[in-house]
Amino acid sequence: MAAEMQRFGTSEEDDDEMGMDVKEEDDDDDDDEEKNMATPPVVGVDVGVLSTSGSNRYMHHQQYQDQPTPQGGGARRCRPQEEKERTKLRERQRRAITAKILAGLRRHGNYNLRVRADINDVIAALAREAGWVVLPDGTTFPSRSQGSRPTGGASNTAMTSSSSQMPAQHTSPTSLGGISPSYKSPVDYSAPHMKGVFVSTSSPYDSSSGARSQSPAMIGDGGDLQNDPLLGGSIGSVDSRQVVDMPTKLQERDFAGTPYVPVYVMLPLGVVNMKSELVDPDGLVKQLKILKSLNVNGVMVDCWWGVVEAHAPQEYNWNGYRRLFQIVRELKMKLQVVMSFHECGGNVGDDVCIPLPHWVVEIGRSNPDIFFTDRAGRRNPECLSWGVDKERVLRGRTGVEVYFDYMRSFRVEFDEFFEDGVISMIVVGLGPRGELRYPCNPVKHGWRYPGIGEFQCYDRYMLKSLQKAAEIRGHSFWSRGPENAGSYNSRPHETGFFCDGGDYDGYYGRFFLKWYSQGLVDHGDRVLSLAKLAFEGTCVAAKLSGIHWWYKTASHAAELTAGYYNSCNRDGYAAIMAMLKRHGAAVCFTCSQMSIVDHHMDFSESLADPEGLTWQVLNAAWDASIPVASENSFPCHDREGYCYLLEKAKPIGDPDGRHFSAFTYLRLNPLLMERQNLVQFEQFVKRMHGEAVLEYQT
C-alpha cells in the first residue's frame, strides 16, 4: 500500500483533505521529514531508487542539523523564511497534482470519488479494487470474496508486505479461494511465465537485527518456506533475493454446506418447430433422463410467439409445448418458461429461424413504424417498438394487450402445471433476445463487437413521445435524436456525443438519455404489471443484458444506446431494480465468462469490464432485495469455467449470505451428453446444490 501511496506523491502522514490550508507550523514539517527518514523499506522491491532518494533527504536534513541552535532553544533548529515559503509551494504543488489524479480516476477509471476527496478516499478506492474490504472507520482487511474486480496493470511479480501474513495476491481467498488449479489470475494472463514471489533479504535500511529477521516472519510464524502448505515449492536465489516458486495447483474451494442453488438446463431453441410439434421426443426423453440422474432440477424452454400465434390474432396452438410439459412432469422435473415475444435468428448463438407471427409481419409491411428504427431509417423486425405499447395498431389491439392475451392464454392452457408446481418461474420477454433493452446492436445491420451501437428511437411513435417530452420540458427543438452519436461500429472517442466531455453530459444530452432510458423502464413496468396479473402466485422475472464493452469510459456508450443510463456519474440499474421491486419480480442476468473463455480477447481495446458490470448489477439487485437468477453466456464444459460460475453464484464471505436464486445452464446439446463432459457437469451440479464432492475429476 505504501507503494500505491508513493504513486500519488504523498506520505503516510498526508491524510488531511485536499482542500485544507497549507501547513505553516515548523514542527509539523519537521516531523514529516524525520518520519520520511525512518520509513521502513518496501520488502520485495528493489531498494536502489528508494535508497537514493532516502540518502538525499538525509543529507538535506543533516545540513539543517549542522546549523547552530539559538541559546535556550534546546534541540529545535532555526529555519530561514525562504524555506517556509518553499514548504508552502511544495504543498500547493502536491495538492494540485493530487487533484489532477483524483479528476482522472473519477473521469476515466469510474472511481466513485467525491468532489473534495482526500488521500484516504483514494487509498480506499485502490484497496477495494484490489479486493480488500475498507470499513468507514478505516479498518481494512482482505476480502474473502472471489468476486472482486480484477486489478488493472498487474505486475509480473507479487510484492510482500511487512505483515506476518502472506501477500494478498497469493494467499488471500480474494484471489485464490475456490479457483481451480487451471484458473489464471490477472497476473498469470499478463506474465504467464512468472510464477515466483520475491522475498527481499537485507537492505541498506536494515540497521538492526530485528529488521534483518523480518523475512521469515513474512512467510509464516515459523518462517518455514519449504513446508508451507500453500507455497510448497522450492526456493531459489536471483540477484541476492529469494525466489519462491508458486505451486502449479491450489486447493479448490469446498462448496459443501453452501446454500442450495437449483440448476436448470436450457433446451434447444427449436425443440418445438414452426408447426408447434415437439421435435424428436424419444431422443429428448433420453437426454432428460440423463439430466434427471444428475439431479438437475429442471429445464428452461422458450415459448415462441411466432409459433403459438403464428397465423391469426388470438388463435393459439400450444400442442407441442403441452407434449413437452407432460414429459417434464413425468420425470418429476421443473420448468422455467420464457414468454418469447421476439424473433429467433440473426443473433450470435441462434441456430434456428423463428420470425414474429405472420399477421404481425403483414402489418409491418404497411406500417413499418411498429418496429424499432435507427437514424438512417432502417427497420428492425426483431421485436415490436415500445412506441406501440399503447397504440391500437395490431388489428385493434395495443402492444401490451397482445402480450397480455398471449400470457393469459398460456396460464389457462397450462393451469394444471401451475397448480402442481411444475412451472417454477416465468421469464417475460421484454425486448430483443427477450432482454429488457433496445435492439441497439443488430448484426443484420452491420454491427460488430465492440461497436457502440445506435439509438433506436426513430419510428414515428417513439418520436412522438420524444416531442411530447421536449414540449413539457419547454424546449421543443430537443424533439430529435443526437446528430453526432456516430454509427453502429463507432468508438466513443470518435463521436462528439460519447467522447469525454461530450454532449451526453450536456443539458440536451441528459434530457435525451433520461427520456430514452425511461422509455425502457416504462415498457418493463407496463408488461410486468400485466404478467403479475396473469401469473399470480408464480415467480416472474425479467432478463437484463450484459453490455460490458466501453464500461471503463466515462460515457458507457454501448450501455447508453441499449437504454441503460449508466454513465460514470449515474447508476443506470437502480431505476430498473426499483421497477422490478414494485412487481415482486426477479432479475435474470447473464454471467459473462469472457475473461475466462476468450483469453485472446484484448479488453483494453474496448475498455471492457465484464467483472465490474456483473458486480454492479448483482449488488444493485441484492441491495433492493431482488432475487437474482443467472445463466452462462458461452457453452461451458471444463472445470475452469464451472469454477468461475460457482464463485459468481455463491460469493465467498458475503456477510449477508447472498447467492443466486437459480442457475440455468446454456444449453442442452450432444456435446454436453459426452461422458467426460457429463462427469464435469455432475460435479458442478453437486456443488451448486451445496453437496460434498470428494474430488473434482478431470
Side-chain angles (χ1 to χ4, degrees):
M1 188 58 68
E4 292 290 343
M5 290 187 290
Q6 195 171 19
R7 290 166 49 198
F8 288 87
T10 60
S11 66
E12 294 183 355
E13 284 73 34
D14 298 325
D15 56 358
D16 297 328
E17 284 199 359
M18 294 299 106
M20 62 177 291
D21 294 334
V22 179
K23 297 180 182 178
E24 298 189 20
E25 292 81 357
D26 293 344
D27 291 341
D28 291 346
D29 210 62
D30 295 345
D31 291 343
D32 281 348
E33 293 187 5
E34 293 171 0
K35 290 178 182 178
N36 284 334
M37 282 181 51
T39 301
V42 179
V43 181
V45 179
D46 195 339
V47 297
V49 177
L50 295 179
S51 61
T52 302
S53 60
S55 61
N56 289 340
R57 287 199 302 269
Y58 180 80
M59 294 174 62
H60 185 67
H61 178 76
Q62 191 65 30
Q63 293 175 0
Y64 283 114
Q65 292 288 2
D66 293 341
Q67 293 180 4
T69 58
Q71 282 187 335
R76 181 176 178 83
R77 65 181 185 273
C78 180
R79 193 171 58 179
Q81 181 66 28
E82 55 268 22
E83 177 59 22
K84 293 183 180 181
E85 296 299 327
R86 284 196 294 268
T87 299
K88 294 180 182 179
L89 180 61
R90 285 196 303 269
E91 183 64 25
R92 293 191 186 101
Q93 291 174 340
R94 182 173 62 183
R95 282 168 33 217
I97 293 172
T98 305
K100 292 181 179 179
I101 293 174
L102 293 175
L105 291 174
R106 207 180 285 116
R107 184 171 185 178
H108 303 292
N110 291 320
Y111 286 87
N112 186 19
L113 299 174
R114 55 194 176 91
V115 176
R116 291 179 60 83
D118 59 21
I119 195 63
N120 291 337
D121 297 320
V122 178
I123 296 173
L126 293 171
R128 290 190 181 102
E129 186 183 43
W132 293 72
V133 174
V134 181
L135 300 182
D137 64 354
T139 304
T140 304
F141 53 89
S143 168
R144 295 183 60 83
S145 171
Q146 177 60 25
S148 59
R149 293 176 57 182
T151 57
S155 61
N156 292 343
T157 58
M159 294 185 298
T160 61
S161 66
S162 59
S163 169
S164 61
Q165 297 178 347
M166 280 294 294
Q169 290 92 328
H170 290 278
T171 65
S172 171
T174 302
S175 300
L176 297 176
I179 297 301
S180 67
S182 58
Y183 180 87
K184 293 184 180 180
S185 68
V187 177
D188 293 326
Y189 289 133
S190 60
H193 301 294
M194 303 299 294
K195 296 188 292 184
V197 177
F198 286 87
V199 183
S200 176
T201 55
S202 59
S203 73
Y205 284 87
D206 296 336
S207 58
S208 66
S209 60
R212 287 190 296 270
S213 63
Q214 284 182 350
S215 296
M218 298 170 196
I219 303 302
D221 294 337
D224 189 354
L225 296 175
Q226 300 284 3
N227 299 326
D228 189 275
L230 179 61
L231 294 177
S234 61
I235 305 176
S237 177
V238 177
D239 297 334
S240 301
R241 289 176 292 185
Q242 291 178 342
V243 181
V244 183
D245 286 336
M246 296 302 294
T248 57
K249 289 192 176 183
L250 297 174
Q251 184 178 4
E252 293 175 349
R253 176 181 165 191
D254 182 11
F255 288 90
T258 56
Y260 184 95
V261 176
V263 177
Y264 292 77
V265 174
M266 189 178 298
L267 296 182
L269 295 172
V271 66
V272 175
N273 62 23
M274 289 298 298
K275 297 180 181 180
S276 194
E277 298 172 342
L278 183 61
V279 177
D280 189 15
D282 295 334
L284 180 63
V285 169
K286 292 179 181 179
Q287 292 179 328
L288 293 183
K289 285 183 178 179
I290 294 175
L291 295 180
K292 178 64 177 179
S293 69
L294 303 181
N295 290 324
V296 172
N297 298 82
V299 294
M300 174 182 278
V301 61
D302 290 274
C303 281
W304 295 102
W305 184 28
V307 171
V308 177
E309 197 180 359
H311 303 292
Q314 295 181 283
E315 291 185 5
Y316 307 103
N317 182 357
W318 301 102
N319 292 339
Y321 293 104
R322 172 166 286 279
R323 178 71 183 106
L324 171 63
F325 291 5
Q326 289 171 344
I327 292 174
V328 173
R329 181 171 59 181
E330 290 169 1
L331 293 174
K332 294 181 170 47
M333 300 178 76
K334 301 288 187 180
L335 277 165
Q336 292 179 332
V337 183
V338 184
M339 300 285 103
S340 297
F341 297 111
H342 60 285
E343 74 170 10
C344 179
N347 288 309
V348 177
D350 291 349
D351 53 3
V352 296
C353 181
I354 303 175
L356 296 184
H358 299 314
W359 59 273
V360 174
V361 175
E362 290 178 1
I363 295 174
R365 291 194 183 101
S366 59
N367 181 14
D369 285 294
I370 67 173
F371 301 126
F372 282 106
T373 308
D374 63 18
R375 184 173 182 82
R378 287 170 291 194
R379 315 290 183 170
N380 189 340
E382 188 174 354
C383 61
L384 294 178
S385 167
W386 302 335
V388 303
D389 278 358
K390 297 181 179 180
E391 300 288 340
R392 296 193 175 278
V393 294
L394 301 172
R395 303 283 179 88
R397 293 186 295 169
T398 66
V400 292
E401 288 174 346
V402 168
Y403 303 142
F404 179 65
D405 290 341
Y406 182 88
M407 292 186 289
R408 183 172 56 183
S409 172
F410 178 85
R411 179 63 177 83
V412 172
E413 180 71 22
F414 298 105
D415 179 71
E416 57 187 292
F417 295 91
F418 283 95
E419 296 298 328
D420 294 342
V422 175
I423 298 177
S424 60
M425 184 170 71
I426 299 292
V427 181
V428 182
L430 297 171
R433 305 194 70 175
E435 300 166 340
L436 180 59
R437 66 173 175 89
Y438 289 88
C440 58
N441 46 18
V443 175
K444 65 181 68 175
H445 289 166
W447 174 87
R448 296 295 182 270
Y449 178 88
I452 59 177
E454 289 191 22
F455 292 113
Q456 305 290 314
C457 59
Y458 294 95
D459 63 83
R460 61 173 170 167
Y461 303 107
M462 294 290 288
L463 289 176
K464 177 178 151 183
S465 171
L466 177 58
Q467 182 178 5
K468 181 178 179 181
E471 290 174 351
I472 293 176
R473 180 67 183 270
H475 302 291
S476 58
F477 56 92
W478 281 356
S479 58
R480 54 177 175 78
E483 298 176 351
N484 56 349
S487 59
Y488 284 112
N489 293 311
S490 296
R491 274 45 174 173
H493 62 273
E494 299 171 349
T495 73
F497 191 81
F498 297 115
C499 66
D500 291 348
D503 293 344
Y504 81 93
D505 202 28
Y507 289 108
Y508 161 73
R510 290 195 294 268
F511 158 78
F512 173 79
L513 292 173
K514 183 178 179 181
W515 167 82
Y516 191 72
S517 61
Q518 189 61 44
L520 175 145
V521 175
D522 290 344
H523 171 71
D525 187 44
R526 287 188 289 265
V527 179
L528 287 177
S529 64
L530 297 176
K532 186 177 179 181
L533 291 176
F535 304 118
E536 185 177 1
T538 301
C539 177
V540 173
K543 188 175 180 180
L544 296 185
S545 182
I547 310 293
H548 54 77
W549 51 101
W550 307 116
Y551 186 85
K552 289 185 177 181
T553 62
S555 62
H556 292 230
E559 291 173 271
L560 296 186
T561 58
Y564 305 139
Y565 193 178
N566 194 46
S567 57
C568 65
N569 55 354
R570 286 181 58 96
D571 183 354
Y573 301 96
I576 298 174
M577 298 306 171
M579 179 269 293
L580 296 178
K581 179 70 173 178
R582 288 196 300 271
H583 300 296
V587 61
C588 294
F589 186 75
T590 300
C591 194
S592 177
Q593 310 147 260
M594 295 194 72
S595 57
I596 298 296
V597 176
D598 291 333
H599 293 199
H600 63 279
M601 182 168 290
D602 185 9
F603 286 120
S604 62
E605 179 185 357
S606 61
L607 296 176
D609 190 358
E611 291 284 309
L613 174 63
T614 297
W615 286 116
Q616 180 184 358
V617 175
L618 293 184
N619 286 324
W622 283 333
D623 289 346
S625 300
I626 294 175
V628 178
S630 187
E631 63 187 40
N632 51 307
S633 56
F634 295 97
C636 177
H637 303 289
D638 60 273
R639 177 171 58 189
E640 183 179 8
Y642 285 135
C643 284
Y644 179 87
L645 297 174
L646 284 162
E647 291 294 338
K648 289 292 176 289
K650 304 178 182 184
I652 188 171
D654 190 297
D656 300 317
R658 301 178 297 190
H659 56 85
F660 289 169
S661 61
F663 183 86
T664 302
Y665 175 83
L666 177 75
R667 122 180 16 252
L668 180 62
N669 55 35
L671 187 58
L672 176 62
M673 293 293 106
E674 294 181 3
R675 182 182 180 280
Q676 185 60 36
N677 292 334
L678 283 176
V679 171
Q680 295 285 349
F681 185 65
E682 181 182 19
Q683 304 292 319
F684 170 71
V685 173
K686 287 183 177 180
R687 293 190 172 198
M688 275 291 189
H689 290 171
E691 300 176 11
V693 177
L694 296 179
E695 181 181 359
Y696 210 130
Q697 302 182 28
T698 58

